[in-house]
Amino acid sequence: MSKIHAAITAVHGYVPDYVLTNKELETLVDTNDEWITTRTGIKERRILKGEGLGTSDLAVPAVEALLKKRGITANEIDLIIFCTTTPDRVFPATANILAEKIGAKEAWGFDLQAACSGFLFGLATGSQFIESGKHKKVLVIGGDKMSSITNYKDRATCIIFGDGAGAVLLEPNDEGNGIIDSILKSDGVGVPYLHQKAGGSIRPASHETVDADEHFAYQEGQAVFKFAVTNMADVAAEVMEKNNLQSEDIAWLVPHQANKRIIDATANRTGVSPEKVIINIERYGNTTNGTIPLCLWEWESKFKKGDNLILAAFGGGFTWGSIYLKWAY
Ligand SMILES: CC(C)(COP(=O)(O)OP(=O)(O)OC[C@H]1O[C@@H](n2cnc3c(N)ncnc32)[C@H](O)[C@@H]1OP(=O)(O)O)[C@@H](O)C(=O)NCCC(=O)NCCS
């Protein structure tokens, strides 16, 4: 009997309507379109507007469209893994909130926090339940309402982040397609460079923390850049070497969209030619857990069964990793 792999059998994404352009950011902080474009590659990002809306509201339209596309009901889902850094609430898990909103009554679920690498960690985790035979349908969502933790007075961070979510369905595949291999890493050395200062158990919310802007994402951009540019490129090359893949064997490189310069470095290191590198950072910025599933969604129609895809990410923690998968449809 051939090995069962966990294959992506459907994908969908959602970005909110409001477009925050570089021009509008020029009215909020001391920046300009030319600086943002050359340093990051970002032109605009999407923002979820409206009282009482959270990350689960970004996921609902993505998941509902995915279920419709695959022709299944929410009750057929066994497990929901919601990868997010901006959960609706500290607790309960956004996976539970989403399950209620989409009407998934038979699923269990949990949130997974690995910053920008979360979606890859979620895919690797979900795939284990498929490969073991425990589950038949696992929903992995990557989504963030980054605008909820972005300080629009801090020009070093507010130009980067945007809101969005994507979802994939994992199902068993016995044709040799699906998730073939992954290399995933975490290193707490990254804590000082990228974190949220307050709101957790070591520094609960208070008037003082709010006044000091401590509930926003704090980033030392240059330090993060240095780690990201080498680690994301190296881990993508490592997963290729481990699986005897040459650059010409790769149909698509799907990098986390944090900075166009980090994406270019990953493409150079792996030798994958520019037309095979998926990039939508100019339209969405860094949606944290949303970037990779949004890329898969937008490029879905170009993928062919058996295509070799290399997914790569780097994020706060630090966390980073790469997944090799063969597209299944
Ligand atoms: C954040 C980031 C875009 C900043 O780019 P950078 O080239 O490192 O820029 P620096 O921080 O060195 O700043 C260079 C100069 O531009 C200025 N600057 C910073 N933000 C600016 C902005 N939005 N507009 C104009 N100038 C800006 C700085 O003040 C600095 O000025 P100085 O030289 O007079 O001190 C970049 O560091 C980055 O992408 N880091 C990694 C981000 C990342 O991957 N994060 C998440 C992991 S998923």
Side-chain angles (χ1 to χ4, degrees):
M1 212 181 86
S2 56
K3 180 177 168 15
I4 296 293
H5 292 288
I8 295 175
T9 56
V11 56
H12 213 84
Y14 174 79
V15 288
D17 294 334
Y18 190 87
V19 179
L20 175 58
T21 61
N22 289 351
K23 268 264 155 294
E24 186 178 346
L25 282 172
E26 287 177 11
T27 69
L28 302 175
V29 287
D30 180 15
T31 191
N32 58 77
D33 174 54
E34 204 263 329
W35 192 96
I36 303 171
T37 308
T38 52
R39 296 289 177 123
T40 69
I42 303 167
K43 284 285 187 191
E44 56 190 45
R45 19 9 241 126
R46 299 300 182 96
I47 304 295
L48 180 63
K49 298 270 185 182
E51 275 300 303
L53 297 178
T55 301
S56 68
D57 298 293
L58 295 166
V60 168
V63 172
E64 285 180 343
L66 175 149
L67 296 174
K68 198 166 167 218
K69 229 165 160 178
R70 185 73 186 113
I72 61 169
T73 67
N75 277 336
E76 291 174 66
I77 303 294
D78 301 308
L79 166 61
I80 299 174
I81 302 178
F82 204 127
C83 312
T84 186
T85 299
T86 52
D88 281 13
R89 302 169 186 274
V90 172
F91 78 94
T94 311
N96 292 39
I97 298 168
L98 179 78
E100 177 63 19
K101 287 184 177 175
I102 61 171
K105 299 288 183 201
E106 304 294 330
W108 67 289
F110 57 89
D111 288 3
L112 190 153
Q113 159 64 293
C116 295
S117 310
F119 183 73
L120 293 195
F121 284 29
L123 269 189
T125 305
S127 71
Q128 303 304 305
F129 290 92
I130 299 286
E131 287 179 19
S132 69
K134 175 82 177 163
H135 291 320
K136 293 277 179 272
K137 288 182 171 54
V138 175
L139 198 54
V140 183
I141 298 132
D144 274 295
K145 183 187 169 188
M146 288 306 292
S147 60
S148 66
I149 57 164
T150 299
N151 182 355
Y152 290 96
K153 288 177 287 186
D154 173 12
R155 68 176 182 171
T157 54
C158 73
I159 55 148
I160 298 172
F161 296 113
D163 301 340
V168 300
L169 184 68
L170 293 177
E171 294 185 81
N173 182 292
D174 61 4
E175 297 179 321
N177 292 323
I179 294 171
I180 308 296
D181 200 6
S182 63
I183 300 176
L184 304 166
K185 315 242 188 187
S186 304
D187 188 344
V189 71
V191 176
Y193 307 113
L194 185 49
H195 59 259
Q196 186 174 321
K197 294 197 182 301
S201 56
I202 55 164
R203 198 158 162 76
S206 66
H207 288 289
E208 198 188 337
T209 62
V210 172
D211 290 344
D213 286 342
E214 290 180 358
H215 295 270
F216 295 122
Y218 169 84
Q219 173 169 265
E220 292 179 21
Q222 267 190 18
V224 176
F225 186 90
K226 275 187 206 138
F227 279 96
V229 82
T230 47
N231 285 325
M232 191 165 121
D234 284 353
V235 76
E238 197 182 336
V239 92
M240 283 171 60
E241 270 161 39
K242 194 174 158 216
N243 290 280
N244 297 316
L245 293 165
Q246 309 302 317
S247 54
E248 56 274 19
D249 300 323
I250 307 305
W252 301 100
L253 176 66
V254 194
H256 169 53
Q257 312 280 305
N259 185 312
K260 173 77 163 55
R261 291 182 288 146
I262 301 173
I263 296 172
D264 291 344
T266 307
N268 282 337
R269 176 81 172 78
T270 54
V272 175
S273 51
E275 71 279 7
K276 295 176 177 178
V277 182
I278 298 183
I279 302 175
N280 58 14
I281 192 171
E282 71 284 0
R283 285 175 289 128
Y284 304 141
N286 182 352
T287 54
T288 302
N289 285 274
T291 61
I292 290 177
L294 284 172
C295 285
L296 295 175
W297 168 52
E298 291 201 320
W299 265 257
E300 182 194 18
S301 63
K302 296 189 173 73
F303 298 159
K304 292 191 213 67
K305 192 171 173 174
D307 272 358
N308 289 324
L309 270 64
I310 297 291
L311 282 42
F314 183 89
F318 294 128
T319 54
W320 67 104
S322 186
I323 285 184
Y324 162 40
L325 65 84
K326 291 177 93 68
W327 198 250
Y329 61 97

